[in-house]
């Protein structure tokens, strides 16, 4: 085996190991977006099949594998949702829930309700609040807050400008805080 | 500082993406404003709690999915298309829809009718493709039609699950496994050392392959990191095949994804299957049989 082939083989093995390492993350994202365990597994499997088919297009030197894999998964989900007509389009949803510019004073709900949020008791309410987010906001929020991806990675995954990522994350947080603050069992009101 | 940070600046500050020329101004505003500090704490807590809650509320990745992904990722580049083609969806949503069930029923009827018609044509015209000869050969030998599928599943399962061979009674050294094999099958079985053809012994253990009779499975793996695997299954001969002693039957030929050969001795039936024709054919030669090419 030539040195080039050997390097290529090592590089391929590293790529595949790195891809396998992302299984839990991809599965978690697919599960929380689809809310269907079987569908999530299908989509993750499809992601790996596509990743393997397009392995040659992945630039190992320049790119982190995580956004690349998440983008494949995201596209697979969009395709599935379109096929199943579950949503007309993610952009339509985005527009439907778009807020006008949020004034500084409206960043969070009135502080009387937020001051006493019991973060130790918040698990179920927070999960329900995240699940209730519009799909585009939930997707951006999960990628950022749960999967620790950067703005530019989310922008690439979703195929949107970074400014839109910021806007979605901001709206997601605002909706979550409003939802939590309106829950009397955790807001101390 | 008199200028208060706007909404996006505050969010950008929390997320660590605020441009450096605005950071100091925002930090000054936060230091001077108790309400902003409170909001920051809540937002930071929201992110950390969300991370924790969503991670805790995610089901485990199923063993089935994990195995399939590992199988995919282990496939040599030249075999990716074959493995991908053989991977089935985890779920088949179409089955749950009445329209798909009706379509499937219609399809089955068409296949049965078409199959009878096609078989009639084949008998009359004696047009026999290599694949058909293989199937007919297996049928004539008394082997079940799904034998390749079963053997392939057992083979792949053991390839992926290396600890399947963790049987204390079966040593992980080929030369030392003779007594345990004899005790299990009732007679000694000669399994050659395949290191001379680049295959190392991975393990041996009980496995089901053809019918309810007991069987042992030997797995060999390539030693040169090419991820080629070969399996040998042995059952006591109990009339489960109809061909003569020392006769081999090609169940899946060189063009198949998993070439397979079956032969019998006086007391045993051997099933050889591999994921590479070259290695499978070389292994067959070590047993003194061949694909007859």
């Amino acid at each position: 085996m030539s040195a080039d082939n050997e390097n290529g083989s090592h590089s391929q093995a590293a790529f595949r190991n790195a891809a396998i390492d992302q299984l839990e993350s991809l599965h978690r994202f697919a599960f929380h977006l689809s809310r269907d365990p079987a569908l999530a597994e299908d989509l993750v499997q499809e992601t790996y099949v596509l990743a393997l088919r397009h392995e040659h297009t992945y630039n190992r030197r320049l790119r982190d594998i995580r956004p690349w894999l998440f983008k494949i998964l995201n596209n697979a989900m969009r395709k599935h949702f379109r096929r199943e007509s579950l949503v007309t389009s993610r952009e339509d949803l985005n527009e439907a829930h778009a807020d006008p510019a949020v004034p500084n004073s409206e960043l969070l709900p009135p502080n009387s309700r937020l001051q006493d949020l019991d973060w130790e008791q918040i698990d179920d309410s927070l999960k329900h609040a995240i699940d209730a987010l519009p799909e585009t906001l939930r997707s951006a929020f999960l990628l950022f807050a749960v999967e620790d991806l950067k703005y530019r990675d989310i922008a690439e995954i979703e195929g949107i400008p970074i400014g839109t990522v910021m806007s979605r994350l901001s709206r997601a947080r605002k909706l979550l805080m409003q939802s939590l603050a309106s829950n009397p069992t955790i807001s101390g009101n | 500082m008199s200028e208060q940070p706007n909404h996006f600046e505050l969010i950008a500050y929390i997320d660590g993406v605020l441009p450096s020329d605005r950071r100091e101004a925002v930090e000054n505003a936060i230091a001077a404003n108790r309400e902003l500090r409170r909001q920051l704490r809540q937002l930071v807590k929201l992110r950390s709690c969300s991370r924790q809650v969503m991670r805790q509320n995610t089901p485990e990745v199923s063993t089935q999915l994990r195995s399939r992904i590992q199988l995919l990722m282990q496939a040599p580049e030249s075999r990716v298309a074959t493995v991908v083609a053989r991977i089935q969806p985890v779920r088949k949503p179409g089955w749950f829809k009445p329209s798909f069930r009706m379509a499937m029923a219609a399809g089955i009827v068409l296949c049965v009718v078409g199959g009878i018609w096609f078989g009639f044509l084949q008998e009359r015209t004696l047009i026999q493709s290599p694949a058909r000869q293989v199937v007919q050969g297996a049928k004539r030998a008394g082997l079940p039609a799904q034998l390749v599928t079963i053997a392939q599943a057992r083979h792949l399962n053991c390839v992926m699950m290396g600890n399947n061979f963790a049987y204390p009674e079966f040593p992980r050294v080929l030369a030392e496994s003779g007594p345990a094999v004899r005790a299990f099958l009732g007679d000694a079985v000669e399994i050659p050392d395949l290191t001379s053809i680049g295959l190392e012994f991975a393990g041996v253990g009980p496995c089901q392959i053809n019918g309810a009779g007991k069987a042992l499975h030997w797995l060999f793996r390539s030693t040169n990191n090419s991820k080629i695997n070969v399996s040998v299954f042995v059952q006591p001969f109990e009339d489960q095949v109809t061909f003569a002693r020392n006769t081999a039957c090609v169940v899946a030929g060189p063009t198949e994804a998993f070439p397979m050969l079956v032969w019998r001795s006086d007391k045993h039936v051997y099933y050889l299957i591999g994921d590479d024709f070259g290695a499978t054919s070389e292994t067959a030669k070590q047993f003194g049989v061949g694909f007859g090419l």
Side-chain angles (χ1 to χ4, degrees):
Chain A
M1 183 184 281
S2 71
D4 280 352
N5 283 345
E6 204 163 308
N7 287 340
S9 173
H10 286 311
S11 175
Q12 185 187 57
F15 163 82
R16 292 184 178 197
N17 287 335
I20 288 177
D21 287 345
Q22 298 307 316
L23 178 57
E24 270 81 13
S25 291
L26 293 167
H27 175 253
R28 184 167 50 233
F29 181 62
F31 171 75
H32 286 301
L33 264 195
S34 67
R35 301 191 190 99
D36 177 342
L39 174 59
E41 295 212 342
D42 250 4
L43 291 168
V44 170
Q45 181 175 295
E46 191 177 340
T47 300
Y48 278 94
V49 168
L50 290 170
L52 214 50
R53 279 187 182 151
H54 300 285
E55 190 177 349
H56 61 281
T57 66
Y58 171 71
N59 188 331
R60 294 173 175 84
R61 288 180 190 163
L62 298 180
R63 303 184 69 182
D64 177 9
I65 196 167
R66 297 192 78 210
W68 190 72
L69 288 172
F70 272 97
K71 184 166 190 174
I72 295 173
L73 173 60
N74 200 44
N75 288 342
M77 273 194 283
R78 288 183 188 196
K79 193 174 165 188
H80 171 81
F81 289 144
R82 270 201 299 271
R83 198 168 51 226
E84 297 289 314
S85 302
L86 296 178
V87 292
T88 50
S89 98
R90 288 161 64 89
E91 289 311 312
D92 290 348
L93 262 180
N94 183 36
E95 292 307 313
H97 292 277
D99 287 341
V102 185
N104 199 25
S105 60
E106 292 179 17
L107 173 61
L108 295 175
N111 53 2
S112 59
R113 285 183 165 245
L114 275 172
Q115 277 171 338
D116 302 320
L117 275 185
D118 183 355
W119 289 100
E120 300 302 318
Q121 304 297 322
I122 216 163
D123 287 13
D124 283 347
S125 304
L126 181 54
K127 183 181 179 303
H128 290 143
I130 294 172
D131 283 345
L133 286 173
E135 190 202 348
T136 49
L137 304 190
R138 191 164 79 248
S139 173
F141 186 75
L142 289 171
L143 289 170
F144 177 76
V146 183
E147 304 306 333
D148 298 327
L149 285 160
K150 295 180 169 58
Y151 281 17
R152 66 166 183 274
D153 293 336
I154 300 170
E156 186 188 338
I157 292 164
E158 301 276 5
I160 53 176
I162 286 182
T164 308
V165 174
M166 285 188 74
S167 166
R168 287 182 183 180
L169 286 174
S170 162
R171 291 208 306 276
R173 280 184 269 216
K174 185 186 168 197
L175 287 173
L176 289 175
M177 294 305 271
Q178 283 176 341
S179 171
L180 294 175
S182 65
N183 185 333
T185 59
I186 55 172
S187 63
N189 292 286
Chain B
M1 171 194 150
S2 58
E3 189 188 350
Q4 289 291 303
N6 66 33
H7 169 67
F8 286 113
E9 282 182 324
L10 202 56
I11 293 289
Y13 176 76
I14 296 167
D15 296 343
V17 294
L18 187 69
S20 54
D21 60 339
R22 282 293 296 157
R23 194 172 299 141
E24 189 181 348
V26 170
E27 283 175 348
N28 288 339
I30 292 168
N33 187 326
R34 189 177 170 188
E35 173 58 18
L36 278 181
R37 289 200 300 278
R38 187 195 62 76
Q39 291 190 3
L40 278 181
R41 277 197 301 275
Q42 298 284 8
L43 287 168
V44 169
K45 197 75 181 170
L46 175 69
R47 181 178 176 185
S48 63
C49 283
S50 298
R51 188 176 193 275
Q52 187 182 347
V53 165
M54 299 314 271
R55 284 174 179 239
Q56 281 173 350
N57 283 283
T58 307
E60 291 278 313
V61 176
S62 71
T63 309
Q64 185 191 25
L65 177 65
R66 193 178 293 279
S67 302
R68 286 172 177 221
I69 300 304
Q70 282 172 347
L71 170 64
L72 265 176
M73 289 298 164
Q74 283 173 356
E77 201 162 4
S78 59
R79 300 190 57 77
V80 165
T82 309
V83 174
V84 166
R86 284 171 183 272
I87 292 274
Q88 298 297 314
V90 176
R91 70 169 199 169
K92 300 176 179 64
W95 284 99
F96 301 108
K97 294 180 181 174
S99 57
F100 274 89
R101 283 204 296 268
M102 287 176 65
M104 288 299 294
I108 289 168
V109 170
L110 278 173
C111 284
V112 169
V113 172
I116 292 169
W117 176 75
F118 183 71
F120 174 72
L121 272 187
Q122 291 288 302
E123 288 298 324
R124 283 174 61 86
T125 58
L126 296 176
I127 298 170
Q128 293 188 334
S129 67
R132 186 163 172 77
Q133 286 170 355
V134 166
V135 172
Q136 284 180 339
K139 273 186 177 174
R140 276 203 302 270
L143 292 164
Q146 71 273 28
L147 181 61
V148 179
T149 313
I150 296 168
Q152 176 195 328
R154 301 283 185 272
H155 169 74
L156 290 176
N157 185 47
C158 291
V159 165
M160 289 184 291
M161 307 293 180
N163 59 357
N164 272 10
F165 293 105
Y167 300 101
E169 65 271 35
F170 289 98
R172 300 295 287 261
V173 179
L174 182 62
E176 296 172 5
S177 60
V181 170
R182 189 163 49 247
F184 186 85
L185 290 175
D187 286 291
V189 174
E190 285 294 323
I191 301 293
D193 184 340
L194 302 179
T195 49
S196 62
I197 58 169
L199 294 171
E200 64 181 3
F201 175 64
V204 57
C207 198
Q208 289 295 322
I209 181 168
N210 181 16
K214 57 188 173 184
L216 277 182
H217 176 199
W218 282 260
L219 179 67
F220 294 88
R221 291 192 172 120
S222 56
T223 54
N224 62 358
N225 202 29
S226 58
K227 293 178 179 169
I228 290 170
N229 304 279
V230 172
S231 285
V232 179
F233 301 86
V234 179
Q235 279 185 320
F237 174 58
E238 292 167 343
D239 294 324
Q240 66 270 57
V241 295
T242 55
F243 52 77
R245 181 173 64 88
N246 295 333
T247 301
C249 171
V250 179
V251 179
T255 59
E256 302 291 325
F258 292 87
M260 186 171 179
L261 198 62
V262 179
W263 70 93
R264 58 158 286 216
S265 65
D266 280 336
K267 295 178 177 174
H268 298 110
V269 182
Y270 294 74
Y271 307 82
L272 168 66
I273 186 165
D275 40 41
D276 175 82
F277 179 70
T280 312
S281 176
E282 284 302 309
T283 304
K285 287 179 190 168
Q286 299 295 314
F287 280 91
V289 293
F291 281 78
L293 300 174

